[in-house]
Amino acid sequence: MELNLTRPICFFDLETTGTNVAKDRIVEIAILKVFPNGNKESKTWLVNPEMPIPKEVVAIHGISDEKVANEPTFKELASQVHEMIKGCDLGGYNSNRFDIPLLVEELLRAGIDFEMKNVVAVDVQTIFHKKEQRTLAAAYQFYCGKDLIDAHSAEADTTATYEVLKSQLDRYEDLQNDMKYLADYSARNKFADFAGFIAYDKKGNEVFAFGKYRGKNVEKVLEEEPGYFGWIQNADFPLYTKKVLTAIKLRKLNNKLS
C-alpha cells in the first residue's frame, strides 16, 4: 500500500555519538523524502561531530573519528537539512523518543529555530511494538520478508523504516492511511517538549514530568519558585526543553499584563 499523503513526509535516521539528547551529536544522517505523487528524494550526510566518538559506539555503527574527520559539521549542513525537511511531516523508527529530539537540538545549536507545531510525526517503532513487539531487523523480516543488510547504517535503516510502514498499512486493516492518524497512533505520552521533561495533564495544562515537582503545574511552580526556572536554564537540559519552558514563562507574564 502506498502512503496517502497530503504533503511530503521525510523518513530519517541518525547515527550518533551516544544517546544523550543534550550532549551527544550526529555523525550520520539519512533522509528519504516521499512526495504525495509518489516521487522520492534521498540524501545521506556523514557529519563531523566535533567530539570523540566512543569506541563502544563505533562498534555499533562503524563510524570512527577518522571516517568523519574531514566531513562537514552539522552547523555547516544545517541549512541543507532544514531546507529538505521544512514543510514536511516526519517519520522514523524510535524517532519520537530519540531522533527528532536530537535533530531539533542540533538545529537549535546551529541557530535554526525548527518548529514542530504543525508537523505530525509517525513513529514506525511504536506501531510495530503495539502490534508485534520486535526490533527493526525483525520488523523488516516480518513485514517485508527481507533481511536488513547493513543494520545501523542510517541509509539502510531509513529505507527499511519506509518499507515497513507501507507493509504495516497492507497488513492491518484498522490502520488508516493518514499521517495525522498514524502520528497519533504512534505517539506515546503527550509532551510539550521532545525529551519528556514537560508533559500535559488531562486538562491540557503543562506539568513537570520529573524531579521534585513531578505532576505539578509548570506555571504555578515558576510563579511560586522562580529560581527553578533559572536552575533549569543553567543545567544540562535539552535546548528545546529550555525553549518550551521560556515560552510558558513568557505566556504567563503576557497574561498578567493583558
Side-chain angles (χ1 to χ4, degrees), residues 93 97 124-136 143 168 188:
Y93 195 86
R97 291 196 297 177
V124 173
Q125 185 196 61
T126 304
I127 297 174
F128 183 34
H129 283 181
K130 283 186 174 181
K131 295 294 188 180
E132 306 296 344
Q133 301 288 319
R134 303 282 181 88
T135 64
L136 176 57
Y143 288 111
Q168 286 174 330
R188 296 174 188 268

Side-chain angles (χ1 to χ4, degrees), residues 20-238:
N20 187 312
V21 170
K23 292 182 177 180
D24 282 304
R25 301 291 189 267
I26 295 170
V27 298
E28 186 181 31
I29 176 171
I31 301 175
L32 174 63
K33 188 171 184 176
V34 183
F35 295 87
N37 64 5
N39 289 344
K40 302 178 187 67
E41 175 187 345
S42 63
K43 183 68 177 177
T44 301
W45 295 273
L46 282 171
V47 185
N48 185 334
E50 301 181 278
M51 65 181 292
I53 306 173
K55 291 181 179 179
E56 59 271 22
V57 178
V58 175
I60 295 173
H61 55 49
I63 301 173
S64 63
D65 293 335
E66 293 75 20
K67 189 171 182 178
V68 296
N70 297 316
E71 299 295 337
T73 65
F74 187 85
K75 188 172 184 178
E76 294 170 322
L77 293 170
S79 60
Q80 296 179 58
V81 173
H82 182 243
E83 184 65 27
M84 192 167 183
I85 67 174
K86 71 179 182 180
C88 302
D89 293 326
L90 298 176
Y93 195 86
N94 193 32
S95 49
N96 285 356
R97 291 196 297 177
F98 181 69
D99 296 82
I100 290 176
L102 184 54
L103 178 60
V104 171
E105 285 297 293
E106 289 276 39
L107 288 169
L108 288 172
R109 280 191 287 264
I112 295 177
D113 190 9
F114 184 70
E115 185 55 67
M116 284 287 295
K117 282 185 179 179
N118 298 315
V119 176
V120 300
V122 180
D123 193 329
V124 173
Q125 185 196 61
T126 304
I127 297 174
F128 183 34
H129 283 181
K130 283 186 174 181
K131 295 294 188 180
E132 306 296 344
Q133 301 288 319
R134 303 282 181 88
T135 64
L136 176 57
Y140 199 46
Q141 177 59 239
F142 181 83
Y143 288 111
C144 305
K146 302 176 184 178
D147 292 326
L148 180 53
I149 308 300
D150 294 329
H152 296 295
S153 157
E155 185 173 2
D157 289 357
T158 299
T159 301
T161 299
Y162 166 60
E163 291 185 21
V164 166
L165 178 58
K166 293 198 299 177
S167 294
Q168 286 174 330
L169 289 168
D170 285 329
R171 179 176 289 266
Y172 305 115
E173 294 182 359
D174 60 315
L175 288 181
Q176 298 177 27
N177 193 349
D178 175 82
M179 295 308 107
K180 179 64 168 62
Y181 168 85
L182 292 171
D184 290 340
Y185 187 89
S186 62
R188 296 174 188 268
N189 294 328
K190 295 288 187 180
F191 292 101
D193 64 337
F194 294 123
F197 290 105
I198 303 173
Y200 291 106
D201 62 16
K202 292 181 179 179
K203 296 181 179 180
N205 299 312
E206 296 97 343
V207 295
F208 283 110
F210 73 100
K212 62 181 180 180
Y213 294 118
R214 179 187 291 272
K216 301 295 184 182
N217 183 279
V218 172
E219 284 192 0
K220 290 183 179 179
V221 171
L222 296 183
E223 186 173 16
E224 297 171 1
E225 297 287 343
Y228 199 58
F229 174 82
W231 173 74
I232 291 178
Q233 294 297 323
N234 292 313
D236 193 22
F237 285 89

